[in-house]
């Protein structure tokens, strides 16, 4: 969907490294979300933020961290504490009854 | 808590035939219901939503979905499938004013349309 930009598209991480996934939106939406998608599974919520400088844990927040210093940006850091980080990560913003998704970042541990 | 079930991991249909992708939900309150489609290594694209009103909702690419409150279902349908419809489909639910306005997704159903 237009308006949500995730980068990079592909990311490789070595064991023990922290990596940060970028999510930027120009839709002026207050609410932003990070989801993780594994093969054969649906989307699971990692973190969400409803306003700047505030964020809440989702269902699988362990091993992840986020910040929301600007309305446009909601970066996700995958820390070394995340034991199985290889997955497809999707960022979304929500306004009203509709969610808009970025194109995703595929993270692989090497 | 809200939840969504998509009972079929995969649906196979021949091109030109009608297709149905099933979705049932469980919420407290009146739900907002959504269908999204995902192509390989891409984000989710919005297909359609039900908020209120007519139980039959029409969306993008000729898809439609029927909200059935008594059966708590929101099945996705299309009268005539195309090969290009082959993708991963997600049903999602949200309860208005819930904490975080979170969307809860089903596990996804892979649609395979064969020529």
């Amino acid at each position: 969907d237009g308006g949500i930009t995730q980068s990079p598209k592909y990311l490789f991480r070595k064991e023990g490294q922290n990596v940060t996934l970028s999510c930027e939106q120009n839709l002026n939406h207050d609410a932003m979300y990070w989801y993780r998608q594994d093969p054969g599974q649906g989307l699971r919520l990692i973190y969400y933020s409803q306003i700047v400088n505030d964020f809440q844990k989702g269902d699988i927040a362990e091993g992840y961290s986020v910040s929301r210093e600007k309305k446009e940006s909601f970066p996700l850091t995958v820390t070394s504490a995340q034991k199985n980080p290889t997955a497809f990560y999707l960022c979304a913003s929500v306004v009203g009854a509709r969610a808009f998704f970025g194109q995703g970042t595929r993270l692989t541990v090497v | 808590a809200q939840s969504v079930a998509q009972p079929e991991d995969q649906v196979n249909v021949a091109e030109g035939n009608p297709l149905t992708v099933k979705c049932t939900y469980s919420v407290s309150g009146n739900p907002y219901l959504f269908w999204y489609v995902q192509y390989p290594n891409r984000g989710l694209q919005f297909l359609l939503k039900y908020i209120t009103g007519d139980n039959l909702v029409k969306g993008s690419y000729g898809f439609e979905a029927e909200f059935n409150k008594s059966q708590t279902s929101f099945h996705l349908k299309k009268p005539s499938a195309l090969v290009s419809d082959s993708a991963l489909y997600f049903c999602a639910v949200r309860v208005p004013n819930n904490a975080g306005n979170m969307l809860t997704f089903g596990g996804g159903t892979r649609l395979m349309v064969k020529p």
Side-chain angles (χ1 to χ4, degrees):
Chain A
D1 272 334
I4 307 279
T5 302
Q6 288 187 242
S7 62
K9 189 171 182 179
Y10 299 96
L11 186 58
F12 298 90
R13 191 193 92 168
K14 293 182 179 179
E15 295 277 356
Q17 273 187 337
N18 292 355
V19 290
T20 298
L21 284 60
S22 171
C23 178
E24 303 280 331
Q25 55 108 350
N26 61 5
L27 302 169
N28 201 35
H29 292 170
D30 286 316
M32 297 184 74
Y33 302 78
W34 275 105
Y35 289 91
R36 170 179 171 143
Q37 184 179 19
D38 293 284
Q41 297 192 38
L43 280 69
R44 293 183 289 168
L45 183 65
I46 305 172
Y47 267 98
Y48 65 97
S49 168
Q50 291 185 274
I51 56 172
V52 174
N53 293 322
D54 183 65
F55 48 83
Q56 305 294 331
K57 293 182 179 180
D59 300 322
I60 55 165
E62 185 175 353
Y64 299 97
S65 65
V66 294
S67 63
R68 188 82 188 278
E69 297 176 2
K70 299 185 299 181
K71 191 175 189 178
E72 306 79 29
S73 179
F74 191 40
L76 174 73
T77 296
V78 184
T79 74
S80 57
Q82 171 50 240
K83 298 306 179 188
N84 185 23
T86 294
F88 191 56
Y89 291 85
L90 285 162
C91 178
S93 70
V94 173
V95 65
R98 176 106 178 244
F100 298 79
F101 284 85
Q103 293 299 296
T105 293
R106 183 164 297 281
L107 174 63
T108 303
V109 174
V110 297
Chain B
Q2 56 196 45
S3 65
V4 180
Q6 292 181 241
E8 303 152 315
D9 290 336
Q10 182 161 318
V11 170
N12 298 310
V13 64
E15 187 174 32
N17 283 0
L19 69 87
T20 299
V21 182
K22 296 179 180 177
C23 171
T24 58
Y25 64 91
S26 174
V27 299
S28 300
N30 295 317
Y32 291 173
L33 294 156
F34 306 82
W35 276 102
Y36 286 84
V37 60
Q38 185 182 34
Y39 298 98
N41 292 313
R42 303 295 296 275
L44 274 64
Q45 296 178 28
F46 172 81
L47 278 180
L48 51 81
K49 68 179 185 288
Y50 171 82
I51 304 298
T52 187
D54 193 348
N55 289 342
L56 185 64
V57 178
K58 294 188 183 297
S60 307
Y61 312 120
F63 284 93
E64 57 189 28
E66 186 167 12
F67 171 62
N68 188 317
K69 189 172 184 178
S70 63
Q71 296 185 5
T72 62
S73 67
F74 190 56
H75 302 330
L76 181 70
K77 300 181 180 183
K78 187 173 182 180
S80 179
L82 300 173
V83 173
S84 58
D85 292 330
S86 298
L88 188 58
Y89 290 81
F90 289 98
C91 182
V93 66
R94 179 166 82 80
V95 175
N97 301 317
N98 70 349
N101 288 319
M102 288 180 289
L103 279 174
T104 298
F105 288 86
T109 298
R110 185 165 300 282
L111 174 65
M112 299 289 289
V113 182
K114 298 182 179 179

